[in-house]
Amino acid sequence: MGTAYSKRGIYFTEDDVLIARRNIERLPRAQAAFERMKQRCESFLLLPDEFVYDSVLGMRDETFAYGISGCPGCGKAFPMEPEEQRRFISGLELHPVKTVTCPNCRTTFPNEQYPDDGQGFERNGKGYYPIGMWNFFHAGELLGGVRDHEGLVTKLTYMYMLTGDYRYAHKAIVLLDAFGAIIAGTIGPRDFTPFGSSFEIGRLHLLTSIVHRVKVFLAHDYSWLSDLAELDATSPALAKLGKQGSIRENIVSLLEEYMLTEPGGPEYDLRDGNLTNLQNHESDGVRAMLAVGLALGREDYCRWGVQAVEAYFYNAIGRDGMYYEGSYGYSLFTGTVFLDIAMLAMRASTEAQLVGFHPFACDRFYRFAVENPLRMMCQGHMPGYGDWGRDRSVGREPDGKLLTNIYRASQMFRQFSPSKELRAKAELVMRQLFPLIEEQLGGQGSDLFFSHPEGSAIETERFRLPAGNTLMADAGIVILRDRNDTTALLRFGPNQTHSHDDVLALHYYAYGQNITADLGYGIYGTNSHFGWASKSIAHNTVVVNRDERMVAQQIYKPFRGGRLTFLHESANVSAMEAQAPELYGIDVYQRMVGIVPIGRNASYAADFFAVFGAETADYAFHAFHSQSELRLAGTDRVADPAWTLAGVDEAEKGERQLYYDRPSCSYGERLTTGETFSEFMGDEKQHLWTPQVNNGYGYVYDLREHRTASGTFKATWRAQDGCELRLFGVGAAADRLFSGLCPSLDGDVRHPILVWRSRDARKTYGAVIQAASPDGEGEQAVLEVEQLEADQAQATAIAIRLSDGRTDYWVYSLSDGQVRVNTRHGEWMVDGRCAWMRIEPDGSIEAAELLQARQSVLAGVVLSTAAERAVAIVRAVDTANGTITVHTVRGSLPESGLIGIRSARTGRITVYEATRTSECELRLKESMTLSKGIVLRSDAEVLESRYPLPLAGDCAYAGAPSRFDGKTVQGAYGGRAVIRSVRALKLLEVDVIHPFAEREPFDIVDIEPGDEVRFMS
């Protein structure tokens, strides 16, 4: 045996190999992981080199495919997890046999009825690729793929690193040589293009940026193998194809293929250190550029990558540590990308560069990668808003995969951060999580090659789910949690890449599941994604004017974010209110949600949604991922107006019937496996197609109309497991209620949906929502909700009768002032906008909360706020230390609390958590620096940044209003300007106060002297 040696140590170094050997010696699970890896590699060593070459080279002129179209025989979906696929895809050892056997109908493909020459076949407008699926699976196993970036070639390299046994190195070289010979000319998996298309969308089995993810590990492998003399021999793979070249030349071409740009994906070009949008695709490109640069000694790649890191950490991560794209699932994935970028950039940096900026010393990055994923959990679940998979799990145990990723992120900070404070924080997280995730470790190289906490202290640290409210003010996310851990999430922040059109949608968690069942995301650009699941009507929110301005292929409306108006937390009520009138350009569009515990496990949510200035408002609601049924009480059926929700609108206009507005023809009924239509009508297409009126209403079908004489009703969704969701609605007799069905992503579940329509120009929807568990007999419950008379036109008041005889009262008003409400316990006066009270069966007051009010009076009992909330003016700003100096103009500064800072220039309000450090100084929890840049050019009206500023706006809607409008650009050399508008991600229209120098670094600052500070809590 020889000694493995890495000349660059681009990912795991010789020191890491020593750590791995110690881990294997002392940790049973590391020993077990090593033995599993060894067994798998030993089995592969038994295959002759000639056989391996023939198996890989045989893929050269054939397709690669995920198989998302499902089974061509029965139409059912194929499982997508590799362990499940292993059972129905023929093994590599059987090559040249390439078959796929449907686990549902047990039919084996290809066959006489469904022949495949390697290019797939078409049936009913859909492409099927059985041989492409075989190629996809085995290429992923051997080289690395979408589910596991560390393929067998990397595991063979690990074994060589750990043992020095040349046999492993040789077999890794065979795989790199074989795939290096066929990668050029391949065009990626075929599932995402029309059948027969030659559109380039990746390489081999790897879709767009997944090429880069796998390439990081291929570069790592090469760095450990590059000194072996075998690499300078003639390439057997090239020789078999009639080409010339050495193994080294072939592997280097593999690494340099599909670099710096991404054909088929978002447009960018990393040459000369250029960055386009900082999206996750481009981030993958940067980490591959760093890895290949280190492995091949490309100093230009390394230089460009190192320069990019600070831009990513300040321009793609907001001041609250939240990633800018509109999906938390993508944020978590991007965390793994950024961790790789950070480590690779650290490896590529000089000592002087690391003194100037060390990626693992960045507090903003730590919050993003470690702290926020813990704070964002909802009853142990990862939030599923935006483009991410359906959350169908049940239980309050923290998501194991999520905790494992957080542990690995902490591991890297503990190992690499120069900050003693961050290292200590990271180790504490590791100690808390280790007992929960120990069994899941061993699946990635870092589990072996990086160190783990030692000692009995591991057992003393306990991880607990987050309690209380979570606010991510910059991203515009609020998570409410009551004392039962009943949880609600609402998003009022900006729409961005990978967002859905779900501003102010309610995500409700109870009894360990996502009750409101966000439909999620599976495949980009499908009929389901573009036409249905991304639309507002598919979320539990209010749609204004039928979203008729949504044009073909538009996923969401441009929106720079709304405003949090209050956040309340107590033992009795957890509540929030947010406004987003700019979303639709109307007078009022705001939602207030309060969660109230009523028993040991039972809680309800009070929901008030105000919409002023709309012609039509549709309050949409559905529940449960499993099949369920919907029952309405307090309503009468009327004549059904149409088959689809879209048909209702056309009938009202007197238009001719839509071609899909009839049974079996609606979009929703035709969604099937692959998230596309089972048959295509008119000009419909399988990919990137939507109707011209792109509001999703044609997916809601089997419509039935109901009316309620009193304006109140009860809707009950009952799932197959017996769990219920009850919605008590308080509206007007003129409101229209529609019940119908809507599809899951691929139509396998038909969800009952309620659409509550109002034509009132000044509408406030009132609802009380309660989930009930299947075994909830004896739990407290809401029995009835009654609308009460209030003396203010903009006020809504309700009484909630509970099963134990208690009554809860709510008043909610859009205007601040006195509201008088007639209750059966007497007149209730509230001075303010929002209050809650609980009355015992004997008429006594059990509890009360002034959520946004100064005083509450009922039956002679007076409740008043203790003190006037402080108002101050900013006198000075210290961005380096995170403090502001203020002059108090009303009240006195509390020790800590939530503050709203109103810009003196624009009137827009941003929210911070603040702590008083002296009589006139506040320390802010979040950074006041919104983004950073370097001046590329500047004149009196324009500033062009070298780096993009995606937090400033959405690249899909260049020139739309930006939340950076009116903010100050502060240069490091004295340059200063005010942003008028964001014309593009790198181009700001500005009013220059003091000229900038060329290449002057700058910060975009959120707060400046003269701004007003108001304590919100």
Side-chain angles (χ1 to χ4, degrees), residues 186-207:
T186 59
I187 55 176
R190 297 293 85 201
D191 307 79
F192 310 97
T193 60
F195 181 78
S197 169
S198 59
F199 183 73
E200 185 180 8
I201 198 168
R203 290 290 183 270
L204 300 167
H205 58 298
L206 304 171
L207 180 68

Side-chain angles (χ1 to χ4, degrees), residues 793-954:
Q794 296 189 17
T796 300
I798 60 174
I800 303 171
R801 320 286 183 206
L802 305 178
S803 56
D804 62 357
R806 294 179 297 172
T807 301
D808 282 6
Y809 290 125
W810 280 90
V811 64
Y812 175 70
S813 175
L814 271 70
S815 59
D816 192 4
Q818 287 194 356
V819 183
R820 299 181 185 277
V821 180
N822 292 321
T823 79
R824 64 189 181 97
H825 296 96
E827 183 182 82
W828 180 29
M829 190 282 293
V830 173
D831 183 14
R833 293 203 307 111
C834 186
W836 167 89
M837 186 173 288
R838 175 165 292 166
I839 308 297
E840 294 278 17
D842 63 3
S844 61
I845 297 174
E846 176 187 330
E849 297 284 342
L850 301 176
L851 287 83
Q852 280 287 282
R854 293 165 292 278
Q855 191 177 68
S856 166
V857 181
L858 177 65
V861 178
V862 179
L863 176 68
S864 300
T865 53
E868 187 177 35
R869 289 180 177 171
V871 179
I873 302 298
V874 177
R875 293 301 187 208
V877 176
D878 185 345
T879 56
N881 292 313
T883 60
I884 57 174
T885 304
V886 300
H887 169 66
T888 304
V889 296
R890 192 172 73 201
S892 58
L893 299 180
E895 290 296 319
S896 62
L898 206 62
I899 61 172
I901 300 182
R902 182 186 295 274
S903 168
R905 184 177 293 117
T906 67
R908 288 179 61 83
I909 295 173
T910 53
V911 176
Y912 287 79
E913 295 179 56
T915 302
R916 180 166 59 85
T917 55
S918 70
E919 289 186 4
C920 60
E921 184 181 82
L922 297 173
R923 182 175 302 280
L924 306 185
K925 182 178 179 181
E926 297 86 18
S927 169
M928 289 175 276
T929 300
L930 297 174
S931 281
K932 290 177 175 286
I934 296 175
V935 175
L936 190 61
R937 69 178 179 90
S938 175
D939 57 32
E941 296 185 346
V942 171
L943 187 153
E944 185 175 356
S945 172
R946 177 173 177 81
Y947 299 131
L949 305 166
L951 290 166
D954 186 353

